[in-house]
């Protein structure tokens, strides 16, 4: 009896099972994020994507990288798509719909909002701070960013 093929098949099966388990646990961890953690994770990813100050600076809007974010609702993605299309038609600049600014903040802090579905994102630009109200929606057991507006 040749056990080498059997061991190889068992090894491949265990590796596949391990990969599926890792993916499932990652999704479960994401599903458990609070609204505050979701906003913090999104802005951390967003600024990290830009790589401010490096020679490799990137633009998550121009690259349409935001479309792959697990932290945004489909309706938010569609609104940002439409906004960027309007900027392109006007042949001019615009603003960043997630930062509501043209500059990259040096620091971002998140705080609970008045309700469970809102988070306040405080962004420092030089010496001044701007406050944004980030509204979220709960879908499929996950908090997703639905809208970003000035905190008034």
């Amino acid at each position: 009896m040749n056990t080498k093929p059997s061991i190889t098949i068992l090894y491949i099966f265990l590796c596949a099972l391990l990969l599926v388990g890792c993916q499932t646990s990652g999704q479960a961890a994401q599903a458990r994020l609070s609204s505050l953690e979701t906003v913090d994770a999104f802005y951390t990813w967003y600024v990290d994507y830009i790589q401010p100050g490096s020679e490799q600076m990137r633009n998550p809007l121009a690259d349409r990288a935001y479309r792959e974010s697990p932290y945004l609702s489909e309706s938010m993605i569609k609104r940002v798509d439409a906004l960027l299309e309007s900027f392109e038609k006007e042949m001019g600049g615009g603003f960043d719909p997630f930062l509501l600014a043209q500059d990259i903040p040096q620091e971002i802090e998140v705080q609970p909002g008045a309700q469970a579905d809102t988070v306040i994102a405080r962004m420092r630009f030089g010496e001044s701070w701007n406050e944004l109200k980030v509204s979220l929606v709960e879908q499929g057991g996950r908090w997703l960013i639905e809208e970003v507006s000035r905190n008034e």
Side-chain angles (χ1 to χ4, degrees):
M1 180 176 174
N2 190 355
T3 61
K4 190 167 185 168
S6 298
I7 291 173
T8 303
I9 291 171
L10 180 60
Y11 177 74
I12 292 171
F13 175 75
L14 288 175
C15 287
L17 190 60
L18 180 63
L19 287 173
V20 169
C22 288
Q23 183 179 11
T24 303
S25 68
Q27 291 170 344
Q30 181 183 345
R32 288 189 287 265
L33 292 180
S34 68
S35 56
L36 190 68
E37 292 167 328
T38 298
V39 172
D40 187 49
F42 173 75
Y43 281 112
T44 298
W45 167 82
Y46 198 76
V47 173
D48 284 349
Y49 184 91
I50 296 170
Q51 299 178 2
S54 79
E55 291 180 16
Q56 261 89 92
M57 274 186 69
R58 302 179 296 175
N59 185 329
L61 298 173
D63 296 347
R64 302 293 201 249
Y66 64 91
R67 300 187 100 248
E68 304 303 318
S69 172
Y71 309 111
L72 300 176
S73 70
E74 280 298 316
S75 60
M76 179 72 177
I77 291 169
K78 288 178 183 175
R79 281 196 309 280
V80 172
D81 285 347
L83 181 67
L84 295 179
E85 286 177 26
S86 75
F87 291 163
E88 290 169 3
K89 287 179 184 173
E90 294 172 8
M91 302 282 279
F95 63 93
D96 187 305
F98 300 110
L99 302 175
L100 299 185
Q102 292 181 338
D103 296 324
I104 303 163
Q106 288 87 25
E107 187 177 353
I108 300 175
E109 299 174 351
V110 294
Q111 304 169 349
Q115 293 94 14
D117 64 349
T118 60
V119 171
I120 304 302
R122 298 185 69 237
M123 300 184 185
R124 183 173 65 84
F125 298 91
E127 297 297 317
S128 64
W129 287 84
N130 293 343
E131 284 192 359
L132 303 180
K133 177 181 169 186
V134 182
S135 301
L136 298 98
V137 61
E138 195 171 7
Q139 293 178 349
R142 299 182 319 151
W143 286 104
L144 300 173
I145 297 172
E146 177 71 13
E147 186 176 353
V148 178
S149 60
R150 297 244 179 253
N151 188 33
E152 313 236 359

